[in-house]
Amino acid sequence: MMAVTIKDVAKQANVAPSTVSRVISDSPRISEKTKKKVRKVMEEMGYYINHNARNLVQKSTQTIGIVMKNSTSASLHDPFFPEVLRGISAYCNQQDFNISITTGESEEAIFNDVVKMVQGKRVDGLIVSYSKKDDKVVPYLVDSGIPFVVVGKPIGKANEIMSVDNDNVQAAKEATEYLIRLGHQKIGFISEQPDYEVSIARLTGYQQAMQLHQLKPDPNYVRHVDTKEPMKDMVEELVDNNKLPTGFVVTDDIAALNLLLCLREKNISVPEDVSIISFNNTIISKLATPPLTSIDTQIYQLGYESAKCLIDEIKTPSMFKKTVIIPTIIEERESCKKIVALAE
Amino acid sequence: MMAVTIKDVAKQANVAPSTVSRVISDSPRISEKTKKKVRKVMEEMGYYINHNARNLVQKSTQTIGIVMKNSTSASLHDPFFPEVLRGISAYCNQQDFNISITTGESEEAIFNDVVKMVQGKRVDGLIVSYSKKDDKVVPYLVDSGIPFVVVGKPIGKANEIMSVDNDNVQAAKEATEYLIRLGHQKIGFISEQPDYEVSIARLTGYQQAMQLHQLKPDPNYVRHVDTKEPMKDMVEELVDNNKLPTGFVVTDDIAALNLLLCLREKNISVPEDVSIISFNNTIISKLATPPLTSIDTQIYQLGYESAKCLIDEIKTPSMFKKTVIIPTIIEERESCKKIVALAE
DNA sequence: ACAATTTGCGAAATCGTTTGCGCAAATGTG
DNA sequence: CACATTTGCGCAAACGATTTCGCAAATTGT
């Protein structure tokens, strides 16, 4: 079942292939009459453009690549990626762009996927969905010259790299101050992988808030914990040494869910005994028991805006690389409680 | 920065472009000596193949399309899709295939994405990640003739459609019997969207188990509930009328989490007062409070196998359309409790 | 009515590959 | 040594679009 090409249409409509092409792109140099005629024939014959052919000559693909972080780890368990994907999708769909995602499992494999994408001209631009220390992808992209945007605060010279991000230090500061305002003084900070920029920024925000309010961030209280067991060990250690904070800032809903569980196992109730404020406001925070107060980072928007930046840049390259900041909103639910300062 | 083409390499290496092409595909008709020479030049000049050009002549794209279900709804909140995506990715990466996903938000938009993909020859095959009543995509694909596989039990003539699925009726039956074996008699069934095949199959399994054990499935007990509020209303209604079952089989971890929350709000504890068994065994079931006993449907495998089926079919089309069943495993955790039969 | 524009369309080159065919040199056969 | 085969590679035609250039017809101006 041979597909119908532009030539077939041309023949059928008694015009030249070039005319058909111009009709497709709605060129003003073609009369309405011929346009109508040609379009009718296209319709009748069931013509669909062959993108490979078009892309070949136009040297563009109308597709953007998305590089995920190491997918073997939590990347895809975590509702973050899907949600940013959803935002990206939405804008791409509007603009008739396609999406191609990396499939690699290891960092090395992902890097190779990326160079294949750009060297093989499979994409017009990329979205890097994370920002991480010692990552090879971003440096490669900057000197490849291809348009790209990173979701998160890029490591290195920011003005050469487009990015869309939250103000994570501010957000974490607010989260911490929220707890402080409720009377908490012993506040813990839990994040997942410490080599991602988000973790660092949020830690900074936490520290700033603590300092600002003359609270010493006990080093015992800041932890990087990424799976179930370490979390369990941590709370056990903390309660056994009688050092359990009264509040926790947790950089991720999944980790918060985990914390909730571990606390429950030690018969510590939230929010009665300890308060928790988390990040991302995914469906998990809504449905946790109790529902979690969470900083909404507007992940969907993050995705949407990054796609917008990228596609803008692809369509009309600009001199300076902008960076857009998506505001965060604190969504209050039931995991935080005011405490009355007893001693101290 | 003009990319280096096969011709450039040819010139530099003093051979014809066709020779370079044959070196790339490692044709046996080229001597080892020239192969070495050419490869060296390719390396030096930094040659990368242009896929558009190759695809144009080969009429293949080495990419598969993935059609998601309506993403505005829960699709991407739910860890299911990401996890099957991860499985698909893994196999695609092995086989050096690319992935392109639909971006549409509405069913109509998704359908259009699909026809664009196939008519525009952007993909060699598709994976439909759901199976749903009255869906236009699958029928379109069957008569387009393009290879595709559906994740789930296809509606309609199964032997014309490749699919990979769990035995969902069996799985639901086992889940229900698990509860029955623990002594439960009043068992509820909660699923999300009733128009998806999974829901139907699991409902059937539930009903079979009930019948088999001479338990009447009170119509009050089978519910389709897809967001927070309806769930809340449901449990309120049930407890107010004193009709709360002692056990629930819930077709999805997210819904189970939701149920957990609603029960908690009414001060009903799990598993003391009611037992819950859910499906999918995502990270959520591990981290819920209490951790949920869940039927592991091996979502990753589902994705992996579907990619395998599809790519096999693409590479060497076969006469008959196979369907593969991924076994389910019940993962016991803490959400189910044996009950002593009191009255009856 | 004739030159000057403008409008509408076609011819052909091009994008970077693959591939069928053919030709020369190298090898094998008797 | 003459002839048949095989081996190694180049030529040129696709693949299906876009785009530059130019030519004829239609329109305008005087």
Side-chain angles (χ1 to χ4, degrees):
Chain A
M1 193 212 291
M2 200 51 201
V4 16
T5 78
I6 219 174
K7 288 184 192 168
D8 303 329
V9 174
K11 204 165 293 173
Q12 189 72 18
N14 268 315
V15 295
S18 44
T19 301
V20 178
S21 172
R22 282 186 258 258
V23 169
I24 292 170
S25 54
D26 202 23
S27 155
R29 308 196 55 83
I30 302 292
S31 68
E32 276 309 317
K33 207 175 63 182
T34 13
K35 277 186 188 173
K36 281 224 174 68
K37 181 176 65 179
V38 171
R39 282 200 254 261
K40 181 149 164 286
V41 175
M42 294 195 328
E43 178 77 13
E44 285 169 4
M45 304 184 70
Y47 171 82
Y48 281 92
I49 201 168
N50 180 316
H51 287 268
N52 281 321
R54 161 182 282 185
N55 294 340
L56 179 57
V57 26
Q58 291 190 157
K59 294 169 179 324
S60 96
T61 62
Q62 297 284 105
T63 111
I64 68 176
I66 299 180
V67 10
M68 307 197 276
K69 65 181 175 186
N70 197 336
S71 63
T72 39
S73 73
S75 169
L76 281 174
H77 291 134
D78 165 348
F80 180 84
F81 181 74
E83 184 68 3
V84 33
L85 185 53
R86 202 168 65 83
I88 294 171
S89 289
Y91 191 75
C92 284
N93 192 244
Q94 272 180 38
Q95 300 294 314
D96 228 334
F97 265 68
N98 271 62
I99 289 178
S100 181
I101 68 180
T102 56
T103 59
E105 300 254 327
S106 68
E107 275 189 33
E108 196 57 27
I110 289 176
F111 182 76
N112 288 335
D113 279 354
V114 171
V115 343
K116 265 194 232 157
M117 278 184 175
V118 350
Q119 297 290 359
K121 309 219 172 320
R122 291 165 97 92
V123 297
D124 294 343
L126 296 284
I127 294 177
V128 180
S129 71
Y130 61 85
S131 177
K132 184 172 174 299
K133 258 182 179 168
D134 302 323
D135 181 62
K136 289 159 59 191
V137 172
V138 169
Y140 170 78
L141 290 179
V142 342
D143 68 45
S144 83
I146 199 170
F148 75 98
V149 31
V150 357
V151 179
K153 182 159 169 284
I155 313 274
K157 31 221 161 183
N159 51 347
E160 290 181 12
I161 300 176
M162 287 197 300
S163 67
V164 3
D165 195 9
N166 306 115
D167 184 341
N168 276 308
V169 358
Q170 180 60 22
K173 198 172 151 197
E174 284 172 9
T176 312
E177 287 182 328
Y178 177 83
L179 253 23
I180 294 175
R181 239 178 293 118
L182 287 178
H184 295 269
Q185 303 203 324
K186 291 171 20 183
I187 300 174
F189 175 89
I190 298 176
S191 82
E192 299 196 296
Q193 308 97 329
D195 43 354
Y196 286 88
E197 229 294 318
V198 252
S199 302
I200 299 170
R202 288 177 186 167
L203 175 55
T204 306
Y206 160 79
Q207 288 167 333
Q208 285 184 6
M210 293 299 270
Q211 267 173 4
L212 205 60
H213 294 264
Q214 269 93 6
L215 299 172
K216 51 174 193 306
D218 187 331
N220 266 308
Y221 290 174
V222 355
R223 301 295 182 105
H224 297 288
V225 144
D226 53 0
T227 49
K228 183 168 176 192
E229 290 315 313
M231 184 74 86
K232 195 171 169 183
D233 296 346
M234 182 199 80
V235 334
E236 277 180 0
E237 174 200 328
L238 253 22
V239 325
D240 290 353
N241 298 331
N242 214 359
K243 274 184 170 295
L244 193 68
T246 62
F248 278 105
V249 175
V250 185
T251 65
D252 182 275
D253 280 340
I254 293 267
L257 192 62
N258 190 355
L259 176 59
L260 226 36
L261 173 61
C262 296
L263 290 173
R264 192 88 192 298
E265 284 173 351
K266 296 298 263 182
N267 261 312
I268 295 163
S269 13
V270 175
E272 289 72 18
D273 302 327
V274 348
S275 293
I276 295 179
I277 180 166
S278 78
F279 275 82
N280 285 353
N281 194 28
T282 62
I283 194 165
I284 290 177
S285 40
K286 273 187 265 306
L287 298 181
T289 311
L292 297 166
T293 292
S294 187
I295 304 287
D296 189 340
T297 52
Q298 306 203 73
I299 306 177
Y300 177 90
Q301 282 305 320
L302 241 31
Y304 188 91
E305 286 298 324
S306 60
K308 187 158 157 41
C309 274
L310 180 58
I311 291 177
D312 281 359
E313 177 73 16
I314 289 170
K315 289 190 168 171
T316 73
S318 81
M319 230 37 253
F320 70 105
K321 304 297 175 213
K322 71 176 162 186
T323 114
V324 357
I325 300 295
I326 305 290
T328 58
I329 301 164
I330 174 163
E331 178 82 22
E332 301 192 49
R333 278 189 279 253
E334 304 158 31
S335 62
C336 295
K337 214 190 94 193
K338 184 163 224 155
I339 64 170
V340 287
L342 302 175
E344 181 73 20
Chain B
M1 196 211 288
M2 200 50 203
V4 15
T5 78
I6 220 174
K7 289 184 190 169
D8 303 328
V9 174
K11 204 165 293 173
Q12 189 72 17
N14 269 315
V15 296
S18 45
T19 302
V20 177
S21 173
R22 282 186 254 260
V23 169
I24 292 170
S25 55
D26 202 22
S27 157
R29 311 195 53 83
I30 302 291
S31 68
E32 275 311 317
K33 207 175 64 182
T34 18
K35 276 185 187 172
K36 280 223 173 69
K37 181 176 64 177
V38 171
R39 283 202 252 260
K40 181 149 164 285
V41 174
M42 293 195 330
E43 178 77 16
E44 286 169 2
M45 303 184 71
Y47 171 80
Y48 279 91
I49 201 168
N50 180 315
H51 285 266
N52 280 320
R54 160 181 285 184
N55 294 339
L56 178 57
V57 24
Q58 291 191 158
K59 294 170 179 326
S60 95
T61 62
Q62 296 282 109
T63 109
I64 69 177
I66 300 179
V67 9
M68 308 195 274
K69 65 180 173 187
N70 196 338
S71 63
T72 39
S73 73
S75 170
L76 282 174
H77 292 135
D78 163 348
F80 180 83
F81 181 76
E83 186 67 3
V84 33
L85 184 54
R86 202 166 67 84
I88 295 172
S89 288
Y91 192 75
C92 284
N93 191 242
Q94 270 180 39
Q95 300 294 315
D96 226 335
F97 264 68
N98 272 62
I99 289 178
S100 181
I101 68 181
T102 56
T103 61
E105 300 256 327
S106 67
E107 274 190 33
E108 196 57 26
I110 289 175
F111 182 75
N112 288 335
D113 280 354
V114 171
V115 344
K116 265 193 232 160
M117 278 182 174
V118 350
Q119 297 290 0
K121 309 218 172 320
R122 289 166 97 94
V123 298
D124 295 343
L126 295 284
I127 294 178
V128 180
S129 70
Y130 60 86
S131 177
K132 183 173 175 296
K133 259 184 179 164
D134 302 323
D135 180 63
K136 291 158 60 189
V137 171
V138 169
Y140 170 78
L141 291 179
V142 342
D143 69 43
S144 83
I146 198 169
F148 75 98
V149 32
V150 355
V151 178
K153 181 159 169 285
I155 314 276
K157 31 221 161 185
N159 51 346
E160 291 181 11
I161 300 176
M162 286 197 301
S163 67
V164 4
D165 195 9
N166 306 116
D167 184 342
N168 276 307
V169 357
Q170 179 60 23
K173 196 171 152 199
E174 284 172 9
T176 311
E177 287 183 326
Y178 177 81
L179 254 22
I180 294 174
R181 239 178 293 117
L182 288 178
H184 294 269
Q185 303 204 327
K186 293 178 5 188
I187 299 175
F189 175 88
I190 297 177
S191 81
E192 301 196 296
Q193 307 98 329
D195 41 355
Y196 286 89
E197 229 295 317
V198 250
S199 301
I200 299 170
R202 289 178 186 166
L203 176 55
T204 306
Y206 160 79
Q207 288 167 335
Q208 286 185 5
M210 294 299 271
Q211 267 174 3
L212 205 61
H213 295 266
Q214 270 94 8
L215 298 172
K216 51 174 192 307
D218 186 330
N220 266 308
Y221 291 173
V222 356
R223 302 295 182 107
H224 297 288
V225 143
D226 52 359
T227 49
K228 182 168 176 190
E229 289 315 314
M231 184 72 85
K232 196 172 170 183
D233 296 347
M234 182 199 81
V235 337
E236 277 181 2
E237 173 202 327
L238 252 24
V239 326
D240 290 353
N241 297 330
N242 215 358
K243 275 184 169 291
L244 194 68
T246 62
F248 278 105
V249 355
V250 185
T251 66
D252 182 273
D253 281 341
I254 292 266
L257 192 61
N258 190 355
L259 176 60
L260 226 36
L261 173 60
C262 296
L263 290 172
R264 194 84 192 299
E265 283 173 351
K266 297 298 262 183
N267 261 314
I268 296 164
S269 13
V270 176
E272 289 71 21
D273 303 328
V274 349
S275 292
I276 295 178
I277 181 167
S278 77
F279 276 82
N280 284 354
N281 192 27
T282 62
I283 194 166
I284 289 178
S285 40
K286 273 187 263 308
L287 298 182
T289 311
L292 298 166
T293 292
S294 187
I295 304 286
D296 190 340
T297 52
Q298 308 204 73
I299 306 176
Y300 177 90
Q301 283 305 319
L302 240 32
Y304 188 90
E305 286 299 325
S306 59
K308 187 157 157 42
C309 275
L310 180 59
I311 292 177
D312 281 0
E313 177 73 16
I314 289 171
K315 289 189 168 172
T316 73
S318 83
M319 231 38 252
F320 70 105
K321 306 297 175 213
K322 70 176 161 185
T323 114
V324 358
I325 300 294
I326 306 290
T328 58
I329 303 162
I330 176 164
E331 178 82 21
E332 301 192 50
R333 278 189 278 252
E334 303 158 31
S335 62
C336 295
K337 215 191 95 194
K338 183 164 224 154
I339 64 171
V340 287
L342 303 175
E344 176 76 19

